[in-house]
Amino acid sequence: MSGHTHISGAVTKPTEDKQPSRPRNAAGTREQLLKAAAALFARNGYEATTVSQIAQAAGFSANLVTRYFGGKEGLFLAAMETRLNLESTLPGSIDSLGQRLADRIVDRWEREGDADPLLALLRSASSRPAALGDFLEKEATGPLTKALMSWGFSDHQAVDTANAIQSFIVGTVVTRRMLNTGAIAAATGPQLRVWLADVLQRLVDEGATAESPRLPHPSASSDAR
Amino acid sequence: MSGHTHISGAVTKPTEDKQPSRPRNAAGTREQLLKAAAALFARNGYEATTVSQIAQAAGFSANLVTRYFGGKEGLFLAAMETRLNLESTLPGSIDSLGQRLADRIVDRWEREGDADPLLALLRSASSRPAALGDFLEKEATGPLTKALMSWGFSDHQAVDTANAIQSFIVGTVVTRRMLNTGAIAAATGPQLRVWLADVLQRLVDEGATAESPRLPHPSASSDAR
């Protein structure tokens, strides 16, 4: 989150929180900015959302965004990070990984609604921050790949399976939340839980049997195209 | 494709093709408009693309779009339809369906480049035409569901499997073409062909064994939430 990027609409003179009588609370301010950012990025995408809008929605001045997050990109990635939190889903039996992932996805839809970080990520896909690739590797595909290896998958089985799982989840979110069409959009929460858990667990179980490498290993990816 | 919708930028007096010496060729004009539409919708998405831009890129006047396609929505759906053409991929053995789908996806990436209709569809997901849901059911999930039933899947097995396949393909396109990150973006065409065929065939093979319904059947979808 270091490095200062250009902030459109940033004010140049120092300003205080709009409620100056309230004692400063850095953690609370940070959390309110993250919450407003998650909601606005999910609704409008990365490009169409400005730092000023987020600061205003949270009730603070835009220069606090620079101070806490270094700018728009840092704020976006921080808002994704605290809400994705994939790593807490991984510990447990490999036989119920599909169910844990499905529960996490549906819980998040039910709890976060339109502030779902996956929705923010996808609405921002066309004009994403440059650091998004590294972020996804560090926060999503990377931890999942490592977890699969800890359950006995070879390197290539883990990479292939983690990417299949990631693509399937991304496609489900796009279909339900953006295209909003067909059986995936029409399904109730409980129906989705069962279907997602079933497909995800199949991808996990079958991934362990793949015999030869398919996708390039991330460390070799710069040579691969 | 019937019904006239509002066209921004349409001219009101009758105009001719900008090359009046060329004999009129409705099929050729149609194809050039579809080609320009596919490219512009894929690059900029549905909302940001205007009928005038498309007409200008193809070298025709905007009123031809009304005449041939009824407006922007009709042109968008027609451009998707002629380029998706899923039905030609379905005939054949169920044991090689994954390979046929994978070949179609990668061939399209290699042939259409930035005019890939899946990319246009996804760039347009946030502001899609109202008719997109019906279109996807008619052109993609529907034919795939019917094909799976013809291979012996029950209704619910076919719906669940067709939707898993659709989500996985959508997610792969988003990851490679929009997020452009990780092993899926780094993979070469041949690597992607093998990986896609493998995951898709697994979704097909395992779909046939699912015992109880998960997702709602499309005909019941209006009651399901």
Side-chain angles (χ1 to χ4, degrees):
Chain A
M1 304 312 147
S2 64
H4 288 239
T5 55
H6 174 73
I7 302 172
S8 63
V11 295
T12 49
K13 64 179 170 58
T15 53
E16 294 299 314
D17 298 359
K18 78 172 186 185
Q19 294 148 294
S21 61
R22 194 178 53 184
R24 268 192 189 276
N25 171 350
T29 303
R30 225 183 108 91
E31 185 45 43
Q32 282 175 270
L33 286 168
L34 289 171
K35 204 172 155 183
L40 283 164
F41 284 128
R43 191 190 311 150
N44 303 320
Y46 184 74
E47 191 169 59
T49 304
T50 67
V51 163
S52 308
Q53 286 168 349
I54 295 167
Q56 198 179 0
F60 297 108
S61 73
N63 71 342
L64 282 181
V65 172
T66 322
R67 195 183 308 163
Y68 290 166
F69 303 102
K72 180 169 160 179
E73 177 162 312
L75 176 56
F76 178 84
L77 297 177
M80 300 299 98
E81 187 177 358
T82 54
R83 279 161 178 78
L84 271 181
N85 191 15
L86 173 70
E87 295 206 52
S88 64
T89 310
L90 297 176
S93 156
I94 191 171
D95 299 328
S96 56
L97 179 61
Q99 188 65 59
R100 293 201 298 284
L101 290 169
D103 286 341
R104 163 63 57 97
I105 294 163
V106 178
D107 286 349
R108 195 191 282 134
W109 281 339
E110 291 175 350
R111 194 181 61 242
E112 305 257 4
D114 287 340
D116 181 355
L118 281 174
L119 195 59
L121 216 102
L122 295 169
R123 285 257 160 79
S124 307
S126 291
S127 58
R128 70 202 189 287
L132 185 59
D134 293 342
F135 171 81
L136 285 174
E137 186 58 36
K138 179 172 162 282
E139 298 292 332
T141 341
L144 185 51
T145 304
K146 278 194 208 94
L148 291 167
M149 287 168 66
S150 78
W151 284 306
F153 282 52
S154 71
D155 273 30
H156 85 260
Q157 287 168 339
V159 169
D160 286 2
T161 303
N163 279 282
I165 288 171
Q166 184 201 283
S167 276
F168 173 67
I169 292 174
V170 162
T172 303
V173 177
V174 170
T175 306
R176 184 171 172 98
R177 307 296 304 268
M178 292 172 69
L179 296 171
N180 191 20
T181 187
I184 293 171
T188 62
Q191 287 173 324
L192 271 173
R193 251 176 239 272
V194 175
W195 176 71
L196 283 168
D198 180 58
V199 179
L200 288 166
Q201 193 62 43
R202 275 194 257 148
L203 292 173
V204 170
D205 292 344
E206 296 284 314
T209 65
E211 277 165 22
S212 53
R214 279 102 165 89
L215 294 175
H217 196 275
S219 61
S221 64
S222 54
D223 312 324
R225 13 181 30 158
Chain B
M1 305 311 147
S2 65
H4 288 242
T5 55
H6 173 73
I7 302 172
S8 64
V11 294
T12 50
K13 65 181 169 57
T15 54
E16 295 298 317
D17 297 0
K18 79 171 187 187
Q19 296 148 293
S21 61
R22 191 178 57 185
R24 266 192 190 277
N25 171 350
T29 304
R30 225 183 109 91
E31 185 45 43
Q32 281 176 269
L33 285 168
L34 289 171
K35 202 171 156 185
L40 282 164
F41 284 128
R43 191 189 311 151
N44 302 320
Y46 184 75
E47 192 170 59
T49 303
T50 67
V51 163
S52 308
Q53 285 168 349
I54 295 167
Q56 199 180 358
F60 298 108
S61 75
N63 70 342
L64 281 182
V65 171
T66 322
R67 194 183 308 163
Y68 290 165
F69 303 102
K72 180 169 158 178
E73 176 162 312
L75 176 56
F76 178 83
L77 296 177
M80 297 301 99
E81 188 176 357
T82 53
R83 280 164 176 76
L84 269 182
N85 191 16
L86 173 69
E87 296 207 53
S88 63
T89 310
L90 297 175
S93 157
I94 191 172
D95 299 327
S96 56
L97 178 60
Q99 187 66 59
R100 293 201 298 285
L101 290 169
D103 286 341
R104 165 61 57 98
I105 295 161
V106 179
D107 285 350
R108 196 191 281 134
W109 281 339
E110 291 176 347
R111 194 180 60 243
E112 305 257 4
D114 287 339
D116 181 355
L118 281 174
L119 195 59
L121 216 101
L122 295 169
R123 285 258 160 78
S124 306
S126 292
S127 58
R128 68 201 190 287
L132 184 60
D134 294 343
F135 170 82
L136 284 174
E137 187 57 37
K138 178 171 163 283
E139 299 290 333
T141 339
L144 184 52
T145 304
K146 279 195 208 93
L148 292 168
M149 288 169 67
S150 78
W151 283 306
F153 281 51
S154 72
D155 273 29
H156 85 259
Q157 288 169 339
V159 170
D160 286 1
T161 304
N163 279 282
I165 288 171
Q166 184 200 283
S167 276
F168 174 68
I169 291 174
V170 162
T172 303
V173 177
V174 170
T175 307
R176 185 171 170 98
R177 306 296 304 266
M178 291 172 70
L179 297 171
N180 191 22
T181 187
I184 293 172
T188 61
Q191 287 173 323
L192 270 173
R193 249 175 240 271
V194 174
W195 176 72
L196 283 168
D198 180 57
V199 179
L200 288 165
Q201 192 62 42
R202 277 194 257 150
L203 291 173
V204 171
D205 292 345
E206 296 284 314
T209 65
E211 278 165 20
S212 53
R214 279 104 165 84
L215 293 176
H217 196 275
S219 61
S221 64
S222 54
D223 313 323
R225 8 176 42 152

